[in-house]
Amino acid sequence: MVTRARPAGPPRLTEDEFGVLYRRLVSRTAWAKGDRGALDALTPARVVAATREVRTGRTVTLASPVETSPGPDNPEPARHRMRGHPKDGGSGGLRFAMDSFAMNVHGDADSHIDALCHVVYDGTLHGGVAASTVTAGGATALSIEAARDGIVGRGVLLDIPRLRGVPWLEPGDHVTAGDLGAAETAQHVRVGEGDLLFVRVGHRRRRAELGPWHAADARAGLHPSALEFLADRRVAVLGGDGNNDTAPSSTEGVDFPVHVLAIHAMGLHLLDYLQFEDLAPVCAAEGRWSFLCVIAPLRLPDATGSPVNPIAVL
């Protein structure tokens, strides 16, 4: 792998510049205003076409194991409790080992999908839906129930560390639209309408090799201007192995600009904290970076998101 010089970082956006970008993306993705947002691009014909990506039948997870130990990026880990295990006493007859789980869906460690009700911006949800539809009892509009039938389509993985000849992007680094286009060229793949776009920054590899850190304060992600690339291609879903947003924020006055643009402006369901360390070497070995992808959120009718285990089928 040839190491490329790191490009100069993109400029920090002012609030006014972000507002212009936000309005431009709202206008360009007006087709995604419905309850399902950009999932409307996943037509039956595109799902059928995506099945043609299957050649070897190999399946690969894009999720990380759910973590139950606290760390600097996971102060509220999932709680896993066992019931009915042998130490509970008794050995005769029929018994069942059972589990219970509780977790913070939108943390900085576990793989999850964000629903369109996850982001409240200037008093509304995506498409101008009133923020009051999110109540103490749950979300009554734009919940993850919109994806109850699953998300199935052509997945494309763009590997930015591979493009730059490094194992991972350092926290605070940005992925630009130019990076996405250059990765397409280098990987001989093109992102198309209705695709599920996955962008690797190497967050999981860095975490595995160097240990967890306060990812809420420092992480690599997309620069907000990169969302124009997604609007151009009319993608249906965006997923990353980090939070998708860079930290510190690249935008004055907006802490999570990519979340605001992707979810609120464009109607994209976001997948955060996936892991591509299993998939990337398979794609490299097979010389192809597109695949059938199946995403099945839990049936949580009033929830703002769900734990998720996307599966690539090559």
Side-chain angles (χ1 to χ4, degrees):
M1 192 161 49
V2 177
T3 302
R4 294 176 43 161
R6 178 179 171 181
R12 181 174 169 82
L13 298 182
T14 66
E15 287 188 75
D16 287 344
E17 289 169 333
F18 179 79
V20 170
L21 177 59
Y22 173 89
R23 290 187 291 274
R24 186 161 61 240
L25 290 173
V26 167
S27 175
R28 293 176 62 189
T29 56
W31 58 272
K33 288 297 184 206
D35 291 345
R36 285 167 42 86
L39 293 182
D40 283 345
L42 284 172
T43 62
R46 290 198 177 105
V47 174
V48 170
T51 65
R52 300 184 193 118
E53 296 286 333
V54 180
R55 301 174 196 171
T56 65
R58 182 168 183 173
T59 60
V60 184
T61 178
L62 276 63
S64 62
V66 173
E67 298 194 13
T68 57
S69 298
D73 58 349
N74 195 23
E76 298 178 73
R79 296 190 301 278
H80 180 204
R81 299 289 182 267
M82 291 294 296
R83 295 183 295 133
H85 55 86
K87 289 186 178 179
D88 279 351
S91 59
L94 174 65
R95 301 174 66 226
F96 296 96
M98 295 178 289
D99 316 70
S100 65
F101 286 91
M103 67 185 301
N104 169 21
V105 171
H106 300 287
D108 289 318
D110 295 321
S111 303
H112 63 270
I113 183 170
D114 295 339
L116 298 185
C117 61
H118 178 49
V119 172
V120 180
Y121 183 64
D122 281 348
T124 66
L125 307 180
H126 168 68
V129 173
S132 59
T133 57
V134 180
T135 71
T140 60
L142 303 182
S143 77
I144 198 60
E145 182 72 357
R148 63 184 175 273
D149 295 319
I151 301 171
V152 180
R154 176 181 182 255
V156 176
L157 175 63
L158 296 183
D159 191 336
I160 307 306
R162 183 177 189 270
L163 172 72
R164 296 192 190 173
V166 296
W168 54 71
L169 304 192
E170 288 295 342
D173 202 352
H174 302 275
V175 176
T176 66
D179 288 324
L180 299 178
E184 280 187 317
T185 300
Q187 296 173 207
H188 307 289
V189 69
R190 181 174 173 83
V191 178
E193 187 167 353
D195 282 351
L196 319 182
L197 175 60
F198 301 102
V199 180
R200 178 176 177 267
V201 298
H203 180 100
R204 289 291 182 184
R205 180 172 173 184
R206 187 182 194 277
R207 188 176 189 268
E209 294 190 18
L210 302 184
W213 70 95
H214 290 277
D217 298 329
R219 60 180 179 269
L222 274 66
H223 190 268
S225 60
L227 274 293
E228 300 225 56
F229 176 97
L230 279 69
D232 285 341
R233 305 303 176 83
R234 290 195 168 200
V235 302
V237 167
L238 171 63
D241 54 346
N243 174 263
N244 287 295
D245 261 296
T246 302
S249 173
S250 58
T251 301
E252 224 174 65
V254 182
D255 284 338
F256 295 89
V258 169
H259 274 65
V260 172
L261 295 175
I263 296 175
H264 196 279
M266 301 172 66
L268 287 169
H269 286 73
L270 283 190
L271 290 93
D272 296 332
Y273 294 105
L274 301 177
Q275 66 86 20
F276 304 129
E277 302 313 306
D278 295 330
L279 179 62
V282 174
C283 289
E286 295 196 6
R288 60 191 181 106
W289 298 83
S290 60
F291 42 86
L292 176 67
C293 188
V294 181
I295 304 168
L298 299 179
R299 288 293 303 273
L300 300 169
D302 304 319
T304 63
S306 169
V308 74
N309 180 20
I311 303 296
V313 188
L314 292 101

